[in-house]
Amino acid sequence: MHGIRFEPTRPATRDRRVLAFLLGAVVWLAAGILAVVLLGHSAILRHLLLAVVVSWCVFGIALVLATASRRREERRERP
């Protein structure tokens, strides 16, 4: 089956994409906190939750830097 491609009728706005990204992160954070609460405050769960939060921060910084770099490159290529 080739040739079938999804094309949205309206692309999502930048604000909606940012909101979806942030809400996804909040849901994962809530799930992690809920796991720690329900499964007990074991050290391993706290460490895993900390590792997830740190990885999100690193990902967020990398995403911001990559987006800024891309925009600079696009501005340079415009006539």
Side-chain angles (χ1 to χ4, degrees):
M1 280 191 170
H2 69 319
I4 298 175
R5 224 175 103 178
F6 172 76
E7 291 187 30
T9 55
R10 278 186 303 140
T13 63
R14 181 178 183 271
D15 290 340
R16 281 184 164 244
R17 288 189 308 244
V18 168
L19 180 65
F21 180 79
L22 292 176
L23 284 177
V26 168
V27 167
W28 277 103
L29 183 62
I33 291 170
L34 186 62
V36 169
V37 169
L38 293 178
L39 298 174
H41 293 277
S42 68
I44 188 69
L45 286 176
R46 285 195 303 270
H47 285 104
L48 287 173
L49 189 57
L50 178 64
V52 168
V53 170
V54 168
S55 71
W56 284 343
C57 292
V58 170
F59 169 72
I61 291 168
L63 184 62
V64 166
L65 292 174
T67 302
S69 174
R70 180 177 152 200
R71 287 193 178 147
R72 273 194 309 273
E73 186 68 29
E74 287 174 350
R75 272 188 249 128
R76 251 187 286 165
E77 290 180 2
R78 284 189 209 155

Coordinates of all heavy atoms in Angstrom, one line a residue:
M1 N 0.8 -1.2 0.0 CA 0.0 0.0 0.0 C 0.9 1.2 0.0 O 1.2 1.7 1.0 CB -0.9 0.0 1.3 CG -2.1 -0.8 1.2 SD -3.1 -0.3 2.6 CE -4.5 -1.2 2.2
H2 N 1.2 1.7 -1.1 CA 1.9 3.0 -1.2 C 1.0 4.0 -1.8 O 0.0 3.7 -2.4 CB 3.2 2.8 -2.0 CG 3.0 2.6 -3.4 ND1 2.0 1.7 -3.9 CD2 3.6 3.0 -4.5 CE1 2.0 1.7 -5.2 NE2 3.0 2.5 -5.6
G3 N 1.4 5.2 -1.6 CA 0.6 6.3 -2.1 C -0.4 6.9 -1.1 O -0.9 8.0 -1.3
I4 N -0.7 6.2 0.0 CA -1.6 6.7 1.0 C -0.8 7.5 2.0 O 0.2 7.0 2.6 CB -2.3 5.5 1.8 CG1 -3.1 4.7 0.8 CG2 -3.1 6.1 2.9 CD1 -3.8 3.5 1.4
R5 N -1.1 8.8 2.1 CA -0.4 9.7 3.0 C -1.4 10.5 3.8 O -2.4 10.9 3.3 CB 0.4 10.6 2.1 CG 1.8 10.8 2.6 CD 2.6 11.6 1.6 NE 2.6 13.0 2.2 CZ 3.3 14.0 1.7 NH1 3.8 13.8 0.5 NH2 3.3 15.1 2.3
F6 N -1.0 10.7 5.1 CA -1.9 11.5 5.9 C -1.5 13.0 5.7 O -0.3 13.3 5.8 CB -1.7 11.1 7.4 CG -2.4 12.1 8.3 CD1 -3.7 12.1 8.5 CD2 -1.6 13.0 9.0 CE1 -4.3 12.9 9.4 CE2 -2.2 13.9 9.9 CZ -3.6 13.9 10.1
E7 N -2.5 13.8 5.5 CA -2.3 15.2 5.4 C -3.4 15.9 6.2 O -4.6 15.7 5.8 CB -2.3 15.7 3.9 CG -1.1 15.2 3.2 CD -1.0 15.8 1.8 OE1 -1.5 17.0 1.6 OE2 -0.5 15.2 0.9
P8 N -3.1 16.6 7.2 CA -4.1 17.2 8.0 C -4.8 18.3 7.2 O -4.2 19.0 6.3 CB -3.4 17.8 9.2 CG -1.9 17.9 8.7 CD -1.7 16.9 7.7
T9 N -6.1 18.5 7.5 CA -6.8 19.6 6.8 C -6.3 21.0 7.2 O -6.2 21.9 6.3 CB -8.3 19.5 7.1 OG1 -8.5 19.6 8.5 CG2 -8.9 18.3 6.5
R10 N -5.9 21.1 8.4 CA -5.3 22.3 8.9 C -4.1 21.9 9.7 O -4.2 21.2 10.7 CB -6.2 23.1 9.8 CG -7.2 24.0 9.2 CD -8.0 24.8 10.2 NE -8.7 23.9 11.1 CZ -8.8 24.2 12.4 NH1 -8.3 25.3 12.9 NH2 -9.4 23.4 13.2
P11 N -2.9 22.5 9.4 CA -1.7 22.2 10.3 C -1.9 22.8 11.7 O -2.6 23.8 11.8 CB -0.6 22.8 9.6 CG -1.0 23.2 8.2 CD -2.5 23.3 8.3
A12 N -1.4 22.1 12.7 CA -1.5 22.6 14.0 C -0.7 23.9 14.2 O 0.4 24.0 13.6 CB -1.0 21.6 15.0
T13 N -1.2 24.8 14.9 CA -0.5 26.1 15.1 C 0.7 25.8 16.1 O 0.8 24.8 16.8 CB -1.4 27.1 15.8 OG1 -1.8 26.7 17.1 CG2 -2.6 27.4 14.9
R14 N 1.6 26.7 16.1 CA 2.8 26.6 16.9 C 2.4 26.5 18.4 O 2.9 25.7 19.2 CB 3.7 27.8 16.7 CG 5.0 27.7 17.6 CD 5.9 28.9 17.3 NE 7.1 28.9 18.0 CZ 7.3 29.3 19.2 NH1 6.3 29.9 19.8 NH2 8.4 29.2 19.8
D15 N 1.4 27.3 18.8 CA 1.0 27.3 20.2 C 0.4 25.9 20.6 O 0.6 25.4 21.7 CB -0.1 28.4 20.4 CG 0.6 29.8 20.4 OD1 1.8 29.9 20.6 OD2 -0.2 30.8 20.2
R16 N -0.4 25.3 19.7 CA -1.0 24.0 20.0 C 0.1 22.9 20.1 O 0.0 22.0 20.9 CB -2.0 23.6 18.9 CG -3.3 24.3 19.1 CD -4.3 23.9 18.0 NE -5.6 24.2 18.5 CZ -6.6 23.4 18.8 NH1 -6.4 22.1 18.7 NH2 -7.8 23.8 19.3
R17 N 1.1 23.0 19.2 CA 2.2 22.0 19.3 C 2.9 22.1 20.6 O 3.2 21.1 21.2 CB 3.1 22.2 18.1 CG 2.5 21.7 16.8 CD 3.5 21.7 15.7 NE 4.2 22.9 15.6 CZ 4.2 23.8 14.6 NH1 3.6 23.4 13.5 NH2 4.9 24.9 14.6
V18 N 3.2 23.4 21.0 CA 3.9 23.6 22.3 C 3.1 23.1 23.4 O 3.6 22.4 24.3 CB 4.3 25.1 22.4 CG1 4.7 25.4 23.9 CG2 5.3 25.5 21.4
L19 N 1.8 23.4 23.4 CA 0.9 23.0 24.5 C 0.8 21.4 24.5 O 0.9 20.8 25.6 CB -0.5 23.5 24.2 CG -1.6 23.1 25.3 CD1 -1.2 23.7 26.6 CD2 -3.0 23.6 24.8
A20 N 0.7 20.8 23.4 CA 0.7 19.3 23.4 C 2.0 18.7 23.9 O 2.0 17.7 24.7 CB 0.4 18.8 21.9
F21 N 3.1 19.3 23.6 CA 4.4 18.8 24.1 C 4.5 19.0 25.6 O 4.9 18.1 26.3 CB 5.5 19.6 23.4 CG 6.9 19.2 23.8 CD1 7.5 18.1 23.3 CD2 7.6 20.0 24.7 CE1 8.7 17.7 23.7 CE2 8.8 19.6 25.2 CZ 9.4 18.5 24.6
L22 N 4.1 20.2 26.1 CA 4.1 20.4 27.5 C 3.1 19.5 28.3 O 3.5 19.0 29.4 CB 3.9 21.9 27.8 CG 5.0 22.8 27.4 CD1 4.5 24.3 27.6 CD2 6.3 22.5 28.0
L23 N 1.9 19.3 27.8 CA 1.0 18.5 28.4 C 1.5 17.0 28.5 O 1.3 16.3 29.5 CB -0.4 18.5 27.7 CG -1.2 19.8 28.0 CD1 -2.5 19.8 27.2 CD2 -1.5 19.9 29.5
G24 N 2.1 16.6 27.4 CA 2.7 15.2 27.4 C 3.7 15.0 28.5 O 3.7 14.0 29.2
A25 N 4.6 16.1 28.7 CA 5.6 16.0 29.7 C 4.9 16.0 31.1 O 5.4 15.2 32.0 CB 6.5 17.2 29.6
V26 N 3.9 16.8 31.3 CA 3.2 16.8 32.6 C 2.5 15.5 32.9 O 2.6 15.0 34.0 CB 2.2 18.0 32.6 CG1 1.2 17.9 33.8 CG2 2.9 19.3 32.6
V27 N 2.0 14.8 31.9 CA 1.3 13.5 32.1 C 2.4 12.5 32.5 O 2.2 11.7 33.5 CB 0.6 13.1 30.8 CG1 0.2 11.6 30.9 CG2 -0.6 13.9 30.6
W28 N 3.5 12.5 31.9 CA 4.6 11.6 32.2 C 5.1 11.9 33.6 O 5.4 10.9 34.4 CB 5.7 11.6 31.2 CG 5.5 10.7 30.1 CD1 5.1 11.1 28.8 CD2 5.5 9.3 30.0 NE1 4.9 10.1 28.0 CE2 5.1 8.9 28.7 CE3 5.8 8.3 30.9 CZ2 5.1 7.6 28.3 CZ3 5.8 7.0 30.6 CH2 5.4 6.7 29.3
L29 N 5.3 13.1 34.0 CA 5.7 13.5 35.3 C 4.7 13.0 36.4 O 5.1 12.5 37.4 CB 5.9 15.0 35.4 CG 6.5 15.5 36.7 CD1 7.8 14.9 37.0 CD2 6.6 17.0 36.7
A30 N 3.4 13.3 36.1 CA 2.4 12.8 37.0 C 2.4 11.3 37.2 O 2.2 10.8 38.3 CB 1.0 13.3 36.5
A31 N 2.6 10.6 36.1 CA 2.6 9.1 36.2 C 3.8 8.7 37.0 O 3.7 7.7 37.8 CB 2.7 8.5 34.8
G32 N 5.0 9.4 36.9 CA 6.1 9.0 37.7 C 5.9 9.3 39.2 O 6.3 8.5 40.0
I33 N 5.3 10.4 39.5 CA 5.0 10.8 40.9 C 4.0 9.8 41.4 O 4.2 9.3 42.6 CB 4.5 12.2 41.0 CG1 5.7 13.2 40.6 CG2 4.0 12.5 42.3 CD1 5.3 14.6 40.5
L34 N 3.0 9.4 40.7 CA 2.0 8.5 41.1 C 2.7 7.1 41.4 O 2.3 6.5 42.4 CB 0.9 8.4 40.1 CG -0.3 7.5 40.5 CD1 -1.0 8.1 41.7 CD2 -1.2 7.4 39.3
A35 N 3.6 6.7 40.5 CA 4.3 5.4 40.7 C 5.1 5.5 42.1 O 5.1 4.5 42.8 CB 5.2 5.2 39.6
V36 N 5.8 6.6 42.3 CA 6.5 6.7 43.6 C 5.6 6.6 44.8 O 5.9 6.0 45.7 CB 7.4 8.0 43.6 CG1 8.0 8.2 44.9 CG2 8.5 7.9 42.5
V37 N 4.5 7.3 44.7 CA 3.5 7.3 45.8 C 2.9 6.0 46.0 O 2.8 5.5 47.1 CB 2.4 8.4 45.5 CG1 1.3 8.3 46.5 CG2 3.0 9.8 45.6
L38 N 2.5 5.3 44.9 CA 1.8 4.0 45.1 C 2.7 2.9 45.4 O 2.4 1.9 46.1 CB 1.0 3.7 43.8 CG -0.2 4.6 43.5 CD1 -0.8 4.2 42.2 CD2 -1.2 4.6 44.7
L39 N 3.9 2.9 44.8 CA 4.9 1.8 45.0 C 5.8 2.1 46.2 O 6.6 1.2 46.5 CB 5.7 1.6 43.8 CG 4.9 1.2 42.5 CD1 5.8 1.2 41.3 CD2 4.2 -0.1 42.7
G40 N 5.6 3.1 46.9 CA 6.5 3.4 48.1 C 7.6 4.3 47.7 O 8.0 4.5 46.5
H41 N 8.2 4.9 48.6 CA 9.3 5.9 48.4 C 10.6 5.2 48.4 O 11.5 5.6 49.1 CB 9.2 7.0 49.5 CG 8.0 7.8 49.5 ND1 7.9 8.9 48.6 CD2 6.8 7.8 50.1 CE1 6.8 9.5 48.7 NE2 6.1 8.8 49.6
S42 N 10.7 4.2 47.6 CA 12.0 3.5 47.5 C 13.1 4.4 46.8 O 12.7 5.2 46.0 CB 11.9 2.2 46.8 OG 11.6 2.4 45.5
A43 N 14.3 4.2 47.2 CA 15.4 5.0 46.6 C 15.5 4.9 45.1 O 15.7 5.8 44.4 CB 16.7 4.7 47.3
I44 N 15.3 3.6 44.6 CA 15.4 3.4 43.2 C 14.4 4.2 42.4 O 14.7 4.7 41.4 CB 15.4 1.9 42.9 CG1 15.8 1.6 41.4 CG2 14.0 1.3 43.2 CD1 17.2 1.9 41.1
L45 N 13.2 4.2 42.9 CA 12.1 5.0 42.2 C 12.4 6.5 42.2 O 12.2 7.2 41.2 CB 10.8 4.7 42.8 CG 10.2 3.4 42.5 CD1 8.9 3.2 43.2 CD2 9.9 3.2 41.0
R46 N 12.9 7.0 43.3 CA 13.3 8.4 43.3 C 14.4 8.7 42.4 O 14.4 9.7 41.7 CB 13.6 8.8 44.8 CG 12.4 9.0 45.6 CD 12.7 9.7 46.9 NE 13.8 9.1 47.7 CZ 13.6 8.2 48.6 NH1 12.4 7.8 48.9 NH2 14.6 7.7 49.3
H47 N 15.4 7.8 42.3 CA 16.5 8.0 41.4 C 16.0 7.9 39.9 O 16.5 8.7 39.1 CB 17.6 7.0 41.6 CG 18.4 7.3 42.9 ND1 18.2 6.6 44.0 CD2 19.3 8.2 43.1 CE1 19.0 7.0 45.0 NE2 19.7 8.0 44.4
L48 N 15.2 7.0 39.6 CA 14.6 6.9 38.3 C 13.9 8.1 37.9 O 14.0 8.6 36.8 CB 13.8 5.6 38.1 CG 14.5 4.3 38.1 CD1 13.5 3.2 38.1 CD2 15.4 4.2 36.9
L49 N 13.0 8.6 38.8 CA 12.3 9.8 38.5 C 13.2 11.0 38.3 O 13.0 11.8 37.4 CB 11.3 10.1 39.7 CG 10.3 11.2 39.5 CD1 9.4 11.0 38.3 CD2 9.4 11.4 40.8
L50 N 14.3 11.1 39.1 CA 15.2 12.2 38.9 C 15.9 12.1 37.6 O 16.1 13.1 36.9 CB 16.3 12.1 40.1 CG 17.4 13.2 40.0 CD1 16.8 14.6 40.1 CD2 18.4 12.9 41.1
A51 N 16.3 10.8 37.2 CA 16.9 10.6 35.9 C 16.0 11.0 34.7 O 16.4 11.7 33.8 CB 17.3 9.2 35.7
V52 N 14.7 10.8 34.9 CA 13.8 11.2 33.8 C 13.7 12.7 33.7 O 13.7 13.3 32.6 CB 12.4 10.5 34.1 CG1 11.3 11.2 33.2 CG2 12.4 9.0 33.9
V53 N 13.6 13.3 34.9 CA 13.5 14.8 34.9 C 14.7 15.4 34.3 O 14.7 16.4 33.5 CB 13.2 15.3 36.3 CG1 13.3 16.8 36.4 CG2 11.8 14.9 36.8
V54 N 15.9 14.9 34.6 CA 17.1 15.5 34.1 C 17.2 15.2 32.6 O 17.6 16.1 31.8 CB 18.4 14.8 34.8 CG1 19.7 15.1 34.1 CG2 18.4 15.3 36.3
S55 N 16.8 14.1 32.1 CA 16.8 13.8 30.7 C 15.9 14.7 30.0 O 16.2 15.2 28.8 CB 16.5 12.3 30.4 OG 15.2 12.0 30.7
W56 N 14.7 15.0 30.6 CA 13.8 16.0 29.9 C 14.4 17.4 29.8 O 14.3 18.0 28.8 CB 12.5 16.1 30.7 CG 11.5 15.0 30.6 CD1 11.5 14.0 29.6 CD2 10.5 14.7 31.4 NE1 10.5 13.1 29.8 CE2 9.9 13.5 30.9 CE3 10.0 15.2 32.6 CZ2 8.8 12.9 31.5 CZ3 8.9 14.7 33.2 CH2 8.3 13.5 32.7
C57 N 15.1 17.8 30.8 CA 15.8 19.1 30.8 C 16.8 19.1 29.7 O 16.9 20.1 29.0 CB 16.4 19.4 32.2 SG 15.2 19.7 33.5
V58 N 17.6 18.1 29.6 CA 18.6 18.0 28.6 C 18.0 18.0 27.2 O 18.4 18.8 26.3 CB 19.6 16.8 28.8 CG1 20.5 16.6 27.6 CG2 20.4 16.9 30.0
F59 N 16.9 17.3 27.0 CA 16.2 17.2 25.8 C 15.6 18.6 25.4 O 15.7 19.0 24.3 CB 15.1 16.2 25.8 CG 14.1 16.3 24.7 CD1 14.5 15.8 23.4 CD2 12.9 16.8 24.8 CE1 13.7 15.9 22.3 CE2 12.0 16.8 23.7 CZ 12.4 16.4 22.5
G60 N 15.0 19.2 26.4 CA 14.4 20.6 26.2 C 15.5 21.6 25.8 O 15.3 22.3 24.8
I61 N 16.6 21.6 26.4 CA 17.7 22.5 26.0 C 18.2 22.2 24.6 O 18.4 23.1 23.8 CB 18.9 22.4 27.0 CG1 18.4 23.0 28.4 CG2 20.1 23.1 26.5 CD1 19.4 22.7 29.5
A62 N 18.4 20.9 24.3 CA 18.8 20.5 22.9 C 17.8 20.9 21.9 O 18.1 21.4 20.8 CB 19.1 19.0 22.9
L63 N 16.5 20.8 22.2 CA 15.5 21.1 21.3 C 15.4 22.6 21.0 O 15.3 23.1 19.9 CB 14.1 20.7 21.8 CG 12.9 20.9 20.9 CD1 13.0 20.1 19.7 CD2 11.6 20.5 21.7
V64 N 15.6 23.4 22.1 CA 15.6 24.9 21.9 C 16.8 25.3 21.1 O 16.7 26.1 20.2 CB 15.6 25.6 23.3 CG1 16.0 27.0 23.2 CG2 14.2 25.4 24.0
L65 N 18.0 24.7 21.4 CA 19.2 25.1 20.6 C 19.1 24.7 19.2 O 19.5 25.4 18.3 CB 20.4 24.5 21.3 CG 20.8 25.0 22.6 CD1 21.9 24.2 23.2 CD2 21.1 26.5 22.6
A66 N 18.5 23.5 18.9 CA 18.4 23.0 17.5 C 17.4 23.9 16.8 O 17.6 24.3 15.6 CB 17.9 21.6 17.5
T67 N 16.3 24.3 17.4 CA 15.3 25.2 16.8 C 15.9 26.5 16.5 O 15.7 27.1 15.4 CB 14.0 25.3 17.7 OG1 13.5 24.0 17.9 CG2 13.0 26.1 17.0
A68 N 16.6 27.1 17.4 CA 17.2 28.4 17.2 C 18.3 28.3 16.0 O 18.3 29.2 15.2 CB 17.9 28.9 18.5
S69 N 19.0 27.3 16.0 CA 20.0 27.1 14.9 C 19.4 27.0 13.6 O 19.8 27.5 12.6 CB 20.9 25.8 15.2 OG 21.7 25.6 14.2
R70 N 18.3 26.2 13.5 CA 17.5 26.1 12.3 C 17.0 27.4 11.8 O 17.0 27.7 10.6 CB 16.4 25.0 12.5 CG 15.6 24.8 11.2 CD 14.6 23.7 11.5 NE 13.4 24.0 10.6 CZ 12.3 23.5 10.9 NH1 12.0 22.8 11.9 NH2 11.3 23.7 10.0
R71 N 16.4 28.1 12.7 CA 15.8 29.4 12.3 C 16.9 30.4 11.8 O 16.7 31.1 10.9 CB 15.1 30.0 13.5 CG 13.8 29.3 13.7 CD 12.9 30.1 14.6 NE 11.6 29.3 14.7 CZ 10.9 29.3 15.8 NH1 11.3 30.0 16.9 NH2 9.8 28.6 15.8
R72 N 18.1 30.4 12.5 CA 19.2 31.2 12.0 C 19.6 30.8 10.6 O 19.8 31.7 9.7 CB 20.4 31.1 12.9 CG 20.4 32.1 14.1 CD 21.7 32.1 14.8 NE 22.3 30.8 15.2 CZ 22.0 30.2 16.3 NH1 21.2 30.7 17.2 NH2 22.6 29.0 16.5
E73 N 19.7 29.5 10.4 CA 20.1 29.0 9.0 C 19.1 29.4 8.0 O 19.4 29.8 6.9 CB 20.3 27.5 9.1 CG 20.8 26.9 7.9 CD 22.2 27.2 7.6 OE1 23.0 27.5 8.5 OE2 22.6 27.3 6.4
E74 N 17.8 29.3 8.3 CA 16.7 29.7 7.4 C 16.8 31.1 7.1 O 16.6 31.5 5.9 CB 15.4 29.3 8.0 CG 15.1 27.8 7.9 CD 13.8 27.5 8.6 OE1 13.2 28.4 9.3 OE2 13.3 26.3 8.6
R75 N 17.1 32.0 8.1 CA 17.2 33.4 7.8 C 18.3 33.8 6.9 O 18.3 34.7 6.1 CB 17.3 34.2 9.1 CG 15.9 34.5 9.7 CD 16.0 35.5 10.9 NE 15.7 34.7 12.1 CZ 16.4 34.5 13.1 NH1 17.5 35.1 13.3 NH2 15.9 33.7 14.1
R76 N 19.5 33.0 7.1 CA 20.6 33.3 6.3 C 20.4 32.9 4.8 O 21.0 33.5 3.9 CB 21.8 32.4 6.8 CG 22.9 33.3 7.5 CD 24.1 32.5 7.8 NE 23.7 31.7 9.0 CZ 24.4 30.7 9.4 NH1 25.5 30.3 8.8 NH2 24.0 30.1 10.5
E77 N 19.6 31.9 4.6 CA 19.4 31.4 3.2 C 18.3 32.2 2.5 O 18.2 32.1 1.3 CB 18.9 29.9 3.3 CG 20.1 29.0 3.7 CD 19.6 27.5 3.7 OE1 18.4 27.3 3.4 OE2 20.5 26.7 4.1
R78 N 17.5 33.0 3.2 CA 16.5 33.8 2.5 C 17.2 35.0 1.7 O 18.2 35.6 2.2 CB 15.6 34.5 3.5 CG 14.6 33.5 4.0 CD 13.6 34.3 4.8 NE 13.0 33.4 5.8 CZ 12.5 33.7 7.0 NH1 12.4 35.0 7.3 NH2 12.1 32.9 7.8
P79 N 16.7 35.3 0.5 CA 17.3 36.3 -0.3 C 17.0 37.7 0.3 O 16.2 38.0 1.0 CB 16.7 36.2 -1.7 CG 15.5 35.2 -1.5 CD 15.7 34.6 -0.2

